[in-house]
Amino acid sequence: MADSERVVSTVLDRLVPTFQAVERHSATIAAAPDQVWAALAQVTTGELRLFRVLMGVRVLPGRLVRSPRARFDADEPLLGWAVRFGFTILGEDDRRELVFGAIGQPWRLAGGRGMAVAGGHDFAAFDQAGYAKMAANFWLDAIAGGRATQLRTETRVVCTDPLSARRFTRYWRLIRPASGAIRRSWLTAIKRRAERDADGEADPEVPAR
């Protein structure tokens, strides 16, 4: 399948076909796609020190009022934490792609008001002014005859009106380096766990980019 065909067929592309901001990273993993898919579901917040540090700052206002959403449990799967924090699983192509997202006002100090959605259809249809729609995916491609995996993650953000787009743009300029660092560390944690569970000598680690 050509790369252009792969892109237009993703769940993320159907949910967020146009966007104002995008972030892309990838990692090559010496493990089969099934092992990488399992690691994606299992990797915990305790395996991402950088995530805990940076998100600890982000959720500090919630911690001050003892919000349960601001709590970190080192044994909690990171995807589970994301759902508890306000993200929703928006779609899935079993063992190939997972998409999660949220609707909110991230430029506000305490995160602003979030809008809950039941799934991908509600997320795509939402158009109330004053919000940013944020969605991210993980996409797995088998390589080396299925013995290894190319894991990609892409984050897209589309705002519901021009004022929100301007507010988000200012916010994005400030947090984009940290956002990218969190995504790269997430890929590295998935890679480490998948290769550890692959029962064999893994190739030297190829950093996520």
Side-chain angles (χ1 to χ4, degrees), residues 128-206:
Q128 182 178 332
Y131 291 89
K133 298 165 59 173
M134 302 158 283
N137 77 341
F138 285 98
W139 176 277
L140 287 69
D141 270 326
I143 58 176
R147 299 186 303 276
T149 305
Q150 186 74 21
L151 177 63
R152 299 180 176 89
T153 182
E154 180 171 346
T155 301
R156 296 180 181 181
V157 182
V158 59
C159 296
T160 54
D161 64 283
L163 178 58
S164 296
R166 290 193 295 272
R167 287 171 171 169
F168 180 82
T169 297
R170 290 193 294 267
Y171 166 80
W172 185 241
R173 290 194 190 110
L174 179 65
I175 66 93
R176 185 172 186 177
S179 173
I182 287 174
R183 282 152 181 77
R184 289 190 297 271
S185 68
W186 198 343
L187 289 176
T188 298
I190 294 169
K191 173 182 171 71
R192 185 187 306 117
R193 179 180 275 265
E195 291 182 344
R196 184 191 67 200
D197 295 343
D199 289 334
E201 289 293 324
D203 294 331
E205 182 168 315
V206 180

Side-chain angles (χ1 to χ4, degrees), residues 7-66:
V7 170
V8 298
S9 68
T10 65
V11 176
L12 180 63
D13 195 66
R14 294 194 294 271
L15 293 175
V16 192
T18 61
F19 42 91
Q20 279 102 36
V22 63
E23 184 91 22
R24 299 183 179 100
H25 302 280
S26 66
T28 301
I29 303 177
D34 282 355
Q35 293 165 322
V36 176
W37 187 265
L40 168 61
Q42 295 165 1
V43 71
T44 66
T45 61
E47 296 173 62
L48 282 82
R49 182 176 181 274
L50 180 63
F51 168 82
R52 297 198 311 275
V53 171
L54 294 177
M55 286 303 295
V57 174
R58 181 69 178 86
V59 302
L60 183 59
R63 282 182 159 181
L64 295 176
V65 297
R66 300 182 182 275

Side-chain angles (χ1 to χ4, degrees), residues 60-139:
L60 183 59
R63 282 182 159 181
L64 295 176
V65 297
R66 300 182 182 275
S67 168
R69 291 172 56 185
R71 187 185 72 251
F72 289 101
D73 181 346
D75 295 326
E76 182 176 19
L78 187 52
L79 283 176
W81 179 89
V83 170
R84 182 165 58 79
F85 189 70
F87 284 81
T88 299
I89 302 300
L90 300 176
E92 181 178 324
D93 182 356
D94 191 31
R95 300 185 183 278
R96 187 73 186 268
E97 182 186 14
L98 177 71
V99 184
F100 58 97
I103 299 173
Q105 300 166 324
W107 53 84
R108 295 185 181 275
L109 180 61
R113 182 184 179 191
M115 299 296 288
V117 291
H121 178 77
D122 287 352
F123 180 90
F126 183 88
D127 62 359
Q128 182 178 332
Y131 291 89
K133 298 165 59 173
M134 302 158 283
N137 77 341
F138 285 98
W139 176 277

